[in-house]
Amino acid sequence: MNRPRVLSGIQPTADSFHLGNYLGAVRQWVALQEEHDAFYCVVDLHAITVPHDPDTLRRRSRIAAAQLIGAGLEPERCTLFLQSHVPEHAELAWVLSCLTGFGEASRMTQFKDKSAKGGSEQASVGLFTYPILQAADILLYEADQVPVGEDQRQHLELTRDLAQRFNHRFGGTFVLPAPYILPSVARIADLQDPAIKMSKSASSPQGIVDVLDDPAQIRRKIARAVTDAGRDVRADEENKPGITNLLRIYSALTGEPIAAIEARYGSTGYGQFKKDLAEAAVATFTPIRERTEAILADTESLDKTLADGAARAGRVARETMATVREKIGFVPRLDRP
Ligand code: TYM
């Protein structure tokens, strides 16, 4: 029986993933590789939609891939690759961009947020068409499910709309992908400002716990996380958003239900709770950091793993693109199978 297909991507735009990336997405990627035909890509084409430095991008792309393996992806079990190694992503993105309405693309809230920061005149056309490239990533692999955090939901809706439109106009081609979003970890908040999500672009360094932070940094950031008035360790989104966020993180890291954690710390104050939370984060991230460092010490072998992944991904992508070219009305190239 064919296993259901999964695809997801992550941007190599920082020196480390953060706790939100890990709990909201990467951890699910690791779990899903067991029972699914899983494709995971480091989306370096997406990373150049904002100004970037070439050497930094190259370094971060390898760090991202190494961290994914360090976090538990097994390249024999899933297909791990760099997006730029499979040129069909850009090719399908072009086709889909010709099916996307200008108004439709203009409604993407991530574009509005990101372009507002630098002034929309400065934003690149690539940043504007970013979600269409994301749709291409997903549709190329005929993914059934896409494990992501809540902030990607709108992009997945666009992906489904584009797949449906293509199928309607040119005949059934694409599978309609479903978002795979776990509500308990879909939106991890910034430790300094629980009103915003933890994010590489919006958070202050103190508001983010990085997967590659050393234990001292993790302990310091969690100790300084903003809490709310009172002493009760109790989930209450409205009145205690800071503690609620920390409870969610604690529960996700340890697997203990929130109610059990509330019962243990009760009204003993926030101190011990935060200390134990920091230790849970250190226990999760230390082995990931150590494995990542070991993988990065042998770039040649990492690049070989990525080449293998790209070869596997490329086979699927080329097949989909052959169908798309045919459906759209391009004349086949005789020397191409
Ligand atoms: P990116 O690189 O910003 O984030 C990677 C993943 O982490 C999730 N995430 C969070 N989850 C919970 N709480 C948070 N605070 C938090 N911050 C980030 C994101 O939802 C994401 O799942 N556009 C995508 C990359 C992409 C992609 C794709 C994803 C490109 N092509 C195809 C899925 C399928 C992005 O910028 O993710």
Side-chain angles (χ1 to χ4, degrees):
M1 209 190 74
N2 277 348
R3 292 179 302 163
R5 198 48 88 65
V6 155
L7 175 128
S8 201
I10 192 160
Q11 295 203 68
T13 42
D15 284 329
S16 169
F17 298 148
H18 57 68
L19 183 63
N21 299 134
Y22 177 73
L23 291 179
V26 173
R27 216 164 62 145
Q28 280 69 266
W29 298 14
V30 175
L32 287 166
Q33 71 181 339
E34 306 287 331
E35 308 278 337
H36 294 70
D37 184 15
F39 289 76
Y40 298 125
C41 67
V42 173
V43 294
D44 48 0
L45 298 179
H46 280 110
I48 65 167
T49 55
V50 292
H52 77 285
D53 168 64
D55 288 331
T56 309
L57 175 63
R58 227 182 319 273
R59 178 168 51 81
R60 288 179 170 172
S61 297
R62 290 197 176 102
I63 295 179
Q67 258 182 114
L68 291 173
I69 302 171
L73 289 189
E74 295 172 42
E76 314 77 44
R77 280 207 132 117
C78 65
T79 301
L80 172 64
F81 64 104
L82 301 181
Q83 187 189 30
S84 65
H85 285 180
V86 183
E88 284 76 11
H89 289 247
E91 190 182 0
L92 181 57
W94 174 256
V95 172
L96 295 176
S97 73
C98 297
L99 295 180
T100 310
F102 194 84
E104 189 176 31
S106 308
R107 284 192 289 277
M108 295 292 117
T109 54
Q110 276 212 337
F111 173 74
K112 287 196 227 165
D113 291 351
K114 284 195 187 169
S115 59
K117 257 176 227 143
S120 53
E121 281 297 309
Q122 301 299 317
S124 71
V125 173
L127 188 65
F128 184 62
T129 57
Y130 176 116
I132 305 172
L133 177 60
Q134 180 166 351
D137 300 339
I138 298 166
L139 298 180
L140 262 184
Y141 298 93
E142 309 191 312
D144 302 293
Q145 288 178 321
V146 184
V148 285
E150 182 61 41
D151 59 353
Q152 299 302 312
R153 193 183 286 279
Q154 195 189 30
H155 290 170
L156 294 193
E157 279 161 15
L158 176 72
T159 304
R160 288 171 62 91
D161 288 346
L162 292 176
Q164 252 165 332
R165 198 169 304 157
F166 188 101
N167 290 349
H168 183 69
R169 287 200 198 157
F170 305 109
T173 304
F174 293 124
V175 170
L176 294 196
Y180 180 95
I181 299 176
L182 295 188
S184 56
V185 285
R187 186 186 172 281
I188 300 296
D190 182 298
L191 296 188
Q192 290 298 315
D193 179 0
I196 62 170
K197 69 169 184 191
M198 189 179 285
S199 138
K200 344 177 216 230
S201 51
S203 298
S204 67
Q206 294 310 314
I208 288 194
V209 173
D210 275 329
V211 172
L212 300 183
D213 274 346
D214 63 43
Q217 287 170 308
I218 296 176
R219 291 188 181 108
R220 192 167 38 214
K221 288 177 187 177
I222 291 181
R224 292 185 188 162
V226 297
T227 41
D228 316 282
R231 298 167 49 82
D232 293 356
V233 177
R234 177 168 51 80
D236 176 348
E237 193 69 73
E238 198 127 298
N239 302 308
K240 296 167 86 73
I243 279 292
T244 306
N245 186 44
L246 296 182
L247 271 166
R248 229 178 252 136
I249 296 170
Y250 192 123
S251 171
L253 288 173
T254 60
E256 202 178 353
I258 287 185
I261 306 165
E262 288 172 332
R264 186 162 63 256
Y265 294 100
S267 53
T268 56
Y270 300 144
Q272 190 60 41
F273 167 67
K274 280 178 153 185
K275 274 201 187 107
D276 293 348
L277 170 59
E279 293 319 307
V282 167
T284 302
F285 289 157
T286 300
I288 298 179
R289 176 168 47 80
E290 288 172 356
R291 282 194 294 265
T292 303
E293 282 164 4
I295 294 160
L296 285 172
D298 184 359
T299 320
E300 212 174 299
S301 155
L302 175 63
D303 286 0
K304 165 96 183 40
T305 301
L306 291 172
D308 288 347
R312 261 187 278 158
R315 278 196 287 278
V316 178
R318 278 193 294 279
E319 222 172 280
T320 308
M321 260 331 283
T323 310
V324 169
R325 282 193 213 104
E326 204 261 316
K327 297 251 173 165
I328 211 113
F330 295 152
V331 173
R333 206 176 103 176
L334 267 189
D335 61 348
R336 203 152 50 182

